[in-house]
Amino acid sequence: MPVTTLDPRTALVVVDLQKGVLAAPGSPYSTGDVLARTVRMAEAFRARDLPVVLVRVTAAADGSDAVPGRTELSRAGHAWPDGWDEIADELAGRPGDIVVTKRNWSAFYGTDLDLHLRRRGVTQIVVTGVATSIGVESTARAAHEHGYHVTLATDAMTDFDPEAHRHSVEKIFPRLGETGATAEILDLLAATAS
């Protein structure tokens, strides 16, 4: 189902559009295209005094804050370059934006995101970011579980695996909320604010 409604208190939640993540190639959309579309949405939300949440993921250099638990894919021993966890310059530094730092996939778990949204009366979120099947999907699932209306800007997100992106967009997101392209969401935002 395409996106039908934006609540009067909708927030934009931007997942992991930071320097280290944006340096990687995305698929099916380039990370540069995702950033450009997200910047357009952030400007539109800010112009209407709606919250913009910039989520960044980080980790201690020694791995001491890594999520525990056995997995089949190793997470140990990764050295991150300086500044990898800094929010993209095109998005960062705007007064009034909310910055949330996470240390796992979801922007909700172990952060104060829900508190920020509830105190501002937010009832719906629009989610963008990288990677579709990891941070974006985990955040959308948690938002749905927290009772928010969820809208997913499917051309303002990308993955490192095009099949993972497709699966999230086609199979998972319709169970969590509504999906739409950036242009559709911006048109609906303009109509809602009129």
Side-chain angles (χ1 to χ4, degrees):
M1 171 188 276
V3 60
T4 60
T5 304
L6 291 179
D7 294 351
R9 291 303 297 166
T10 298
L12 178 66
V13 177
V14 179
V15 178
D16 301 346
L17 291 188
Q18 58 195 60
K19 294 177 181 177
V21 173
L22 290 167
S27 185
Y29 305 106
S30 74
T31 54
D33 287 345
V34 167
L35 177 60
R37 290 180 187 118
T38 299
V39 166
R40 283 182 44 220
M41 279 198 280
E43 290 169 353
F45 273 72
R46 291 175 186 131
R48 290 163 179 79
D49 292 323
L50 293 172
V52 173
V53 181
L54 305 173
V55 180
R56 63 187 276 275
V57 64
T58 194
D62 65 0
S64 60
D65 59 356
V67 177
R70 288 183 289 278
T71 63
E72 292 184 14
L73 295 175
S74 175
R75 298 171 297 202
H78 195 283
W80 299 104
D82 286 341
W84 75 275
D85 57 355
E86 294 175 9
I87 294 169
D89 293 338
E90 296 88 338
L91 289 167
R94 304 308 192 285
D97 285 357
I98 302 160
V99 177
V100 171
T101 299
K102 66 186 179 92
R103 288 176 163 69
N104 50 61
W105 290 2
S106 172
F108 282 90
Y109 184 78
T111 74
D112 56 358
L113 176 57
D114 186 52
L115 179 65
H116 280 294
L117 297 175
R118 293 199 189 279
R119 286 195 175 167
R120 289 163 176 81
V122 171
T123 56
Q124 181 172 3
I125 66 169
V126 174
V127 187
T128 73
V130 178
T132 307
S133 65
I134 301 173
V136 173
E137 183 177 314
S138 296
T139 299
R141 285 176 184 265
H144 178 73
E145 291 167 354
H146 279 77
Y148 294 98
H149 298 290
V150 179
T151 298
L152 297 126
T154 57
D155 65 343
M157 61 181 67
T158 197
D159 209 295
F160 308 117
D161 175 346
E163 181 56 27
H165 173 88
R166 186 200 63 75
H167 184 267
S168 293
V169 169
E170 293 178 10
K171 305 292 185 186
I172 304 301
F173 292 166
R175 295 174 176 267
L176 301 177
E178 296 181 326
T179 61
T182 299
E184 294 172 294
I185 294 166
L186 289 174
D187 287 348
L188 194 53
L189 183 62
T192 302
S194 304

PDB file of all heavy atoms in Angstrom, residues 137-138 140-141 152 164-177 179:
ATOM      1  N   GLU A 137      15.531  -1.428   8.882  1.00  0.00           N
ATOM      2  CA  GLU A 137      14.492  -2.412   9.229  1.00  0.00           C
ATOM      3  C   GLU A 137      14.366  -2.574  10.735  1.00  0.00           C
ATOM      4  O   GLU A 137      13.250  -2.627  11.268  1.00  0.00           O
ATOM      5  CB  GLU A 137      14.787  -3.754   8.571  1.00  0.00           C
ATOM      6  CG  GLU A 137      13.698  -4.776   8.839  1.00  0.00           C
ATOM      7  CD  GLU A 137      13.927  -6.101   8.127  1.00  0.00           C
ATOM      8  OE1 GLU A 137      14.257  -6.087   6.921  1.00  0.00           O
ATOM      9  OE2 GLU A 137      13.752  -7.144   8.799  1.00  0.00           O
ATOM     10  N   SER A 138      15.467  -2.643  11.452  1.00  0.00           N
ATOM     11  CA  SER A 138      15.412  -2.796  12.913  1.00  0.00           C
ATOM     12  C   SER A 138      14.715  -1.610  13.564  1.00  0.00           C
ATOM     13  O   SER A 138      13.912  -1.774  14.483  1.00  0.00           O
ATOM     14  CB  SER A 138      16.827  -2.938  13.484  1.00  0.00           C
ATOM     15  OG  SER A 138      17.430  -4.109  13.010  1.00  0.00           O
ATOM     16  N   ALA A 140      12.510   0.416  12.071  1.00  0.00           N
ATOM     17  CA  ALA A 140      11.091   0.365  11.693  1.00  0.00           C
ATOM     18  C   ALA A 140      10.335  -0.659  12.527  1.00  0.00           C
ATOM     19  O   ALA A 140       9.206  -0.403  12.963  1.00  0.00           O
ATOM     20  CB  ALA A 140      10.960   0.047  10.201  1.00  0.00           C
ATOM     21  N   ARG A 141      10.946  -1.813  12.750  1.00  0.00           N
ATOM     22  CA  ARG A 141      10.294  -2.837  13.587  1.00  0.00           C
ATOM     23  C   ARG A 141      10.046  -2.302  14.992  1.00  0.00           C
ATOM     24  O   ARG A 141       8.957  -2.453  15.548  1.00  0.00           O
ATOM     25  CB  ARG A 141      11.165  -4.097  13.661  1.00  0.00           C
ATOM     26  CG  ARG A 141      11.156  -4.943  12.418  1.00  0.00           C
ATOM     27  CD  ARG A 141      12.148  -6.108  12.582  1.00  0.00           C
ATOM     28  NE  ARG A 141      12.275  -6.917  11.404  1.00  0.00           N
ATOM     29  CZ  ARG A 141      11.600  -8.041  11.178  1.00  0.00           C
ATOM     30  NH1 ARG A 141      10.719  -8.467  12.066  1.00  0.00           N
ATOM     31  NH2 ARG A 141      11.791  -8.724  10.078  1.00  0.00           N
ATOM     32  N   LEU A 152       8.110   4.402   5.256  1.00  0.00           N
ATOM     33  CA  LEU A 152       9.466   4.085   4.811  1.00  0.00           C
ATOM     34  C   LEU A 152       9.699   4.665   3.424  1.00  0.00           C
ATOM     35  O   LEU A 152       8.983   4.340   2.480  1.00  0.00           O
ATOM     36  CB  LEU A 152       9.652   2.572   4.820  1.00  0.00           C
ATOM     37  CG  LEU A 152       9.515   2.035   6.254  1.00  0.00           C
ATOM     38  CD1 LEU A 152       8.492   0.943   6.339  1.00  0.00           C
ATOM     39  CD2 LEU A 152      10.844   1.651   6.806  1.00  0.00           C
ATOM     40  N   ALA A 164      18.809  -8.178  -0.216  1.00  0.00           N
ATOM     41  CA  ALA A 164      18.365  -7.862   1.145  1.00  0.00           C
ATOM     42  C   ALA A 164      17.458  -6.623   1.128  1.00  0.00           C
ATOM     43  O   ALA A 164      16.431  -6.585   1.815  1.00  0.00           O
ATOM     44  CB  ALA A 164      19.559  -7.646   2.058  1.00  0.00           C
ATOM     45  N   HIS A 165      17.824  -5.606   0.348  1.00  0.00           N
ATOM     46  CA  HIS A 165      16.990  -4.406   0.212  1.00  0.00           C
ATOM     47  C   HIS A 165      15.610  -4.788  -0.329  1.00  0.00           C
ATOM     48  O   HIS A 165      14.583  -4.394   0.227  1.00  0.00           O
ATOM     49  CB  HIS A 165      17.672  -3.405  -0.726  1.00  0.00           C
ATOM     50  CG  HIS A 165      16.833  -2.223  -1.061  1.00  0.00           C
ATOM     51  ND1 HIS A 165      16.821  -1.069  -0.289  1.00  0.00           N
ATOM     52  CD2 HIS A 165      15.960  -2.000  -2.072  1.00  0.00           C
ATOM     53  CE1 HIS A 165      15.977  -0.195  -0.824  1.00  0.00           C
ATOM     54  NE2 HIS A 165      15.448  -0.734  -1.914  1.00  0.00           N
ATOM     55  N   ARG A 166      15.585  -5.553  -1.424  1.00  0.00           N
ATOM     56  CA  ARG A 166      14.335  -5.957  -2.044  1.00  0.00           C
ATOM     57  C   ARG A 166      13.450  -6.713  -1.064  1.00  0.00           C
ATOM     58  O   ARG A 166      12.258  -6.454  -0.950  1.00  0.00           O
ATOM     59  CB  ARG A 166      14.603  -6.820  -3.287  1.00  0.00           C
ATOM     60  CG  ARG A 166      13.325  -7.147  -4.065  1.00  0.00           C
ATOM     61  CD  ARG A 166      13.496  -8.342  -4.977  1.00  0.00           C
ATOM     62  NE  ARG A 166      13.775  -9.567  -4.241  1.00  0.00           N
ATOM     63  CZ  ARG A 166      12.877 -10.269  -3.534  1.00  0.00           C
ATOM     64  NH1 ARG A 166      11.644  -9.850  -3.435  1.00  0.00           N
ATOM     65  NH2 ARG A 166      13.229 -11.377  -2.908  1.00  0.00           N
ATOM     66  N   HIS A 167      14.044  -7.649  -0.323  1.00  0.00           N
ATOM     67  CA  HIS A 167      13.271  -8.440   0.634  1.00  0.00           C
ATOM     68  C   HIS A 167      12.634  -7.546   1.700  1.00  0.00           C
ATOM     69  O   HIS A 167      11.447  -7.687   2.016  1.00  0.00           O
ATOM     70  CB  HIS A 167      14.153  -9.512   1.276  1.00  0.00           C
ATOM     71  CG  HIS A 167      13.398 -10.409   2.195  1.00  0.00           C
ATOM     72  ND1 HIS A 167      13.308 -10.168   3.549  1.00  0.00           N
ATOM     73  CD2 HIS A 167      12.669 -11.518   1.953  1.00  0.00           C
ATOM     74  CE1 HIS A 167      12.559 -11.103   4.115  1.00  0.00           C
ATOM     75  NE2 HIS A 167      12.157 -11.929   3.170  1.00  0.00           N
ATOM     76  N   SER A 168      13.419  -6.630   2.255  1.00  0.00           N
ATOM     77  CA  SER A 168      12.866  -5.721   3.271  1.00  0.00           C
ATOM     78  C   SER A 168      11.722  -4.893   2.711  1.00  0.00           C
ATOM     79  O   SER A 168      10.654  -4.789   3.323  1.00  0.00           O
ATOM     80  CB  SER A 168      13.959  -4.791   3.804  1.00  0.00           C
ATOM     81  OG  SER A 168      14.928  -5.498   4.533  1.00  0.00           O
ATOM     82  N   VAL A 169      11.933  -4.294   1.530  1.00  0.00           N
ATOM     83  CA  VAL A 169      10.930  -3.403   0.944  1.00  0.00           C
ATOM     84  C   VAL A 169       9.666  -4.156   0.560  1.00  0.00           C
ATOM     85  O   VAL A 169       8.555  -3.683   0.811  1.00  0.00           O
ATOM     86  CB  VAL A 169      11.537  -2.653  -0.269  1.00  0.00           C
ATOM     87  CG1 VAL A 169      10.452  -1.918  -1.056  1.00  0.00           C
ATOM     88  CG2 VAL A 169      12.604  -1.672   0.201  1.00  0.00           C
ATOM     89  N   GLU A 170       9.818  -5.329  -0.034  1.00  0.00           N
ATOM     90  CA  GLU A 170       8.655  -6.047  -0.547  1.00  0.00           C
ATOM     91  C   GLU A 170       7.972  -6.950   0.474  1.00  0.00           C
ATOM     92  O   GLU A 170       6.753  -7.103   0.431  1.00  0.00           O
ATOM     93  CB  GLU A 170       9.059  -6.891  -1.765  1.00  0.00           C
ATOM     94  CG  GLU A 170       9.461  -6.054  -2.956  1.00  0.00           C
ATOM     95  CD  GLU A 170       9.910  -6.897  -4.144  1.00  0.00           C
ATOM     96  OE1 GLU A 170       9.737  -8.141  -4.119  1.00  0.00           O
ATOM     97  OE2 GLU A 170      10.453  -6.309  -5.101  1.00  0.00           O
ATOM     98  N   LYS A 171       8.721  -7.533   1.389  1.00  0.00           N
ATOM     99  CA  LYS A 171       8.158  -8.543   2.291  1.00  0.00           C
ATOM    100  C   LYS A 171       7.962  -8.061   3.727  1.00  0.00           C
ATOM    101  O   LYS A 171       7.017  -8.474   4.391  1.00  0.00           O
ATOM    102  CB  LYS A 171       9.054  -9.787   2.315  1.00  0.00           C
ATOM    103  CG  LYS A 171       9.320 -10.397   0.958  1.00  0.00           C
ATOM    104  CD  LYS A 171       8.081 -10.993   0.362  1.00  0.00           C
ATOM    105  CE  LYS A 171       8.419 -11.697  -0.949  1.00  0.00           C
ATOM    106  NZ  LYS A 171       7.239 -12.173  -1.622  1.00  0.00           N
ATOM    107  N   ILE A 172       8.862  -7.236   4.215  1.00  0.00           N
ATOM    108  CA  ILE A 172       8.819  -6.843   5.630  1.00  0.00           C
ATOM    109  C   ILE A 172       8.109  -5.507   5.837  1.00  0.00           C
ATOM    110  O   ILE A 172       7.206  -5.383   6.669  1.00  0.00           O
ATOM    111  CB  ILE A 172      10.241  -6.789   6.228  1.00  0.00           C
ATOM    112  CG1 ILE A 172      10.974  -8.130   6.045  1.00  0.00           C
ATOM    113  CG2 ILE A 172      10.189  -6.371   7.694  1.00  0.00           C
ATOM    114  CD1 ILE A 172      10.294  -9.323   6.680  1.00  0.00           C
ATOM    115  N   PHE A 173       8.492  -4.489   5.087  1.00  0.00           N
ATOM    116  CA  PHE A 173       7.960  -3.144   5.328  1.00  0.00           C
ATOM    117  C   PHE A 173       6.438  -3.046   5.214  1.00  0.00           C
ATOM    118  O   PHE A 173       5.824  -2.318   6.005  1.00  0.00           O
ATOM    119  CB  PHE A 173       8.635  -2.118   4.428  1.00  0.00           C
ATOM    120  CG  PHE A 173      10.089  -1.896   4.753  1.00  0.00           C
ATOM    121  CD1 PHE A 173      10.906  -1.230   3.865  1.00  0.00           C
ATOM    122  CD2 PHE A 173      10.658  -2.342   5.938  1.00  0.00           C
ATOM    123  CE1 PHE A 173      12.248  -1.010   4.147  1.00  0.00           C
ATOM    124  CE2 PHE A 173      11.994  -2.141   6.232  1.00  0.00           C
ATOM    125  CZ  PHE A 173      12.794  -1.466   5.328  1.00  0.00           C
ATOM    126  N   PRO A 174       5.787  -3.749   4.277  1.00  0.00           N
ATOM    127  CA  PRO A 174       4.321  -3.664   4.237  1.00  0.00           C
ATOM    128  C   PRO A 174       3.653  -4.170   5.524  1.00  0.00           C
ATOM    129  O   PRO A 174       2.509  -3.807   5.807  1.00  0.00           O
ATOM    130  CB  PRO A 174       3.943  -4.537   3.036  1.00  0.00           C
ATOM    131  CG  PRO A 174       5.144  -4.482   2.147  1.00  0.00           C
ATOM    132  CD  PRO A 174       6.308  -4.477   3.108  1.00  0.00           C
ATOM    133  N   ARG A 175       4.351  -4.963   6.312  1.00  0.00           N
ATOM    134  CA  ARG A 175       3.811  -5.440   7.595  1.00  0.00           C
ATOM    135  C   ARG A 175       4.042  -4.435   8.724  1.00  0.00           C
ATOM    136  O   ARG A 175       3.451  -4.551   9.790  1.00  0.00           O
ATOM    137  CB  ARG A 175       4.465  -6.772   7.971  1.00  0.00           C
ATOM    138  CG  ARG A 175       4.145  -7.890   7.012  1.00  0.00           C
ATOM    139  CD  ARG A 175       4.950  -9.135   7.355  1.00  0.00           C
ATOM    140  NE  ARG A 175       4.580 -10.239   6.496  1.00  0.00           N
ATOM    141  CZ  ARG A 175       3.664 -11.147   6.792  1.00  0.00           C
ATOM    142  NH1 ARG A 175       3.009 -11.090   7.925  1.00  0.00           N
ATOM    143  NH2 ARG A 175       3.396 -12.114   5.939  1.00  0.00           N
ATOM    144  N   LEU A 176       4.937  -3.477   8.491  1.00  0.00           N
ATOM    145  CA  LEU A 176       5.307  -2.525   9.539  1.00  0.00           C
ATOM    146  C   LEU A 176       4.713  -1.136   9.335  1.00  0.00           C
ATOM    147  O   LEU A 176       4.652  -0.352  10.274  1.00  0.00           O
ATOM    148  CB  LEU A 176       6.839  -2.398   9.607  1.00  0.00           C
ATOM    149  CG  LEU A 176       7.607  -3.684   9.884  1.00  0.00           C
ATOM    150  CD1 LEU A 176       9.102  -3.412   9.836  1.00  0.00           C
ATOM    151  CD2 LEU A 176       7.197  -4.274  11.228  1.00  0.00           C
ATOM    152  N   GLY A 177       4.326  -0.826   8.106  1.00  0.00           N
ATOM    153  CA  GLY A 177       3.820   0.514   7.839  1.00  0.00           C
ATOM    154  C   GLY A 177       3.510   0.699   6.375  1.00  0.00           C
ATOM    155  O   GLY A 177       3.138  -0.249   5.679  1.00  0.00           O
ATOM    156  N   THR A 179       4.840   2.414   2.561  1.00  0.00           N
ATOM    157  CA  THR A 179       6.053   2.740   1.821  1.00  0.00           C
ATOM    158  C   THR A 179       5.739   3.756   0.732  1.00  0.00           C
ATOM    159  O   THR A 179       4.611   3.826   0.235  1.00  0.00           O
ATOM    160  CB  THR A 179       6.671   1.481   1.177  1.00  0.00           C
ATOM    161  OG1 THR A 179       5.724   0.913   0.264  1.00  0.00           O
ATOM    162  CG2 THR A 179       7.040   0.455   2.235  1.00  0.00           C
TER     163      THR A 179
END
